[in-house]
Amino acid sequence: MNGFSCNENGYQSSERNLAMEALGYKVFNDSVHGHITLHPLLVKVVDTPEFQRLRNIKQLGFAYYVFPGASHCRYEHSLGTCYLAGQMVEKLLSREQQQRTSEEKKKITLYVQLAALCHDLGHGPFSHTWEVVTKMWNKSESWKHENASIEMLDHMLKNKNLLEEFKKYNLEEKEIKIIKQLIMGGPDIMKNEKPLLNSNNNFLYEIVSNADTGVDVDKWDYFLRDGLHLNLRITFDYHRLLEFCRVMYTTDKMTHIAFRDKEMLNLYDMYRVRSTLHYTAYRHRVVLNIELMCVDAFKAAGDAGYKINNSDIELRKAHQNAASLSQLTDHVFYDILYSSDENLAEARKLIQRVLKRDLYKLVETVNIPVDETTSRKQKQNEIDSKKSRLLEELKESYGEEIKFGVVDFYLNLDSTSDPVRNVKFYKKTGPTEPILSQGIEEIQKLLDPLPFQLVKDVNAQLLVFCKTPIDEKEKELEKAREIIRNFK
């Protein structure tokens, strides 16, 4: 072990614990991973207001209002992801062919763990919900929490004198830039960035955020953590993936993470778990309904000029810079609820309706085909266009008398081909050579028929909600149902 994590049982000798505590190491008792020990620099980051802010941002947003156990926050998820990143780096470095010094291994492990620890710093209130809220104010704005995490890291380093702490462990400006690229899963193509890691270290981009395969420690932690708090059984075993992962060069002459061929079924199970979580919890109809109502409430509050924390910071602009985002958490929900400001009456009423379970009425659902040959972004644009068109048709029939909202249920998992198509595999007899596509097909035949059916998301479901309370006018929705059923 390199000193950044406890042993597999979560315990260390008392002598070692005392020595590590004196050096600034800290033990966290995590609900998923047990006792984990963090490096002193990681502890310094944890003890900043920017990181502590994550205690007040729910991991699953408004799923908590449907699943009472889903009260966990981005704080503990970030700790867990940091721990898993350390575990994976340690396993990979111990099995690679190239020789590294002990100091180099410690340095690599540290900056990968820092990336994992800071990867969610930029989340807004109720996690991914805030990305929806920001689009309500400005449809052309593509605000993403990953970019905001980079800005928050810069803000934290600038204002909390952490730069000097980083330098104590030989983490200079270059390493900080590497940390940012690791958070993003690689260099920012939109900014024409070049990779800061050479071909020998390219595999490090695949640990925290793997855009190529989706197999990364961020997902491993939230699968386990969300499953625990949602009371859903998660069957996939990341421990086996850690035991059977290694670094190898592939045809692009770059290093990548590869897994033993026999772990293909375990990876299929990982993708199935992701689909199950979406269908069972993340995209639960009532969760979508409550999220829609609260998005409307936040938009109404922002449009009414609501300013957070009695400051001059407008809610609708608070996400645009790190200084104001650092003051923005889930507390805005209750701040609006308990406000006596008459300008917030509309927003307050919507939140009160949520708490009284007086939700929007689900009118009808309709499945629409999605072009499988297009990219993920094109698919989502196609769905957004159809949502807008359906709302226009309903508005033409009802005007402003009855208002509707449309939410889509589409996993957008790019299911036109096999989910493991980009994952690298190796055989026991050839641990340094990746298996070519023909060999992967042979492994898949051994798994056929699979013990489960992978979700194929060729259709998107549109859920139409009536925002106007019309209990006494139920018949007035029959025309809306007919429009929705006939929508193409």
Side-chain angles (χ1 to χ4, degrees), residues 24-119:
Y25 288 80
K26 191 172 183 178
V27 178
F28 293 80
N29 188 1
D30 182 63
S31 61
V32 174
H33 306 295
H35 292 83
I36 61 178
T37 303
L38 296 187
H39 184 281
L41 182 57
L42 300 174
V43 175
K44 291 283 186 182
V45 172
V46 169
D47 290 340
T48 62
E50 288 80 5
F51 191 86
Q52 292 294 318
R53 164 183 173 272
L54 299 180
R55 289 182 184 272
N56 297 310
I57 297 179
K58 286 188 174 60
Q59 172 85 3
L60 298 185
F62 291 103
Y64 172 60
Y65 289 86
V66 179
F67 298 88
S71 59
H72 56 301
C73 299
R74 290 283 159 183
Y75 175 86
E76 50 263 43
H77 164 60
S78 297
L79 292 176
T81 305
C82 175
Y83 166 75
L84 287 179
Q87 293 285 294
M88 191 170 202
V89 173
E90 182 180 299
K91 297 289 187 183
L92 292 170
L93 294 181
S94 68
R95 298 173 187 141
E96 65 176 349
Q97 291 177 287
Q98 65 173 310
Q99 298 296 315
R100 300 181 192 266
T101 65
S102 175
E103 288 304 312
E104 184 183 6
K105 289 182 179 181
K106 288 181 179 180
K107 184 176 181 179
I108 289 173
T109 304
L110 183 54
Y111 65 62
V112 171
Q113 284 194 292
L114 280 164
L117 189 66
C118 298
H119 81 285

Side-chain angles (χ1 to χ4, degrees), residues 248-266:
M248 63 172 50
Y249 284 89
T250 58
T251 52
D252 62 0
K253 298 182 180 180
M254 307 281 279
T255 54
H256 295 277
I257 299 172
F259 300 93
R260 263 292 301 277
D261 51 357
K262 65 179 181 179
E263 292 309 304
M264 184 179 287
L265 184 59
N266 196 15

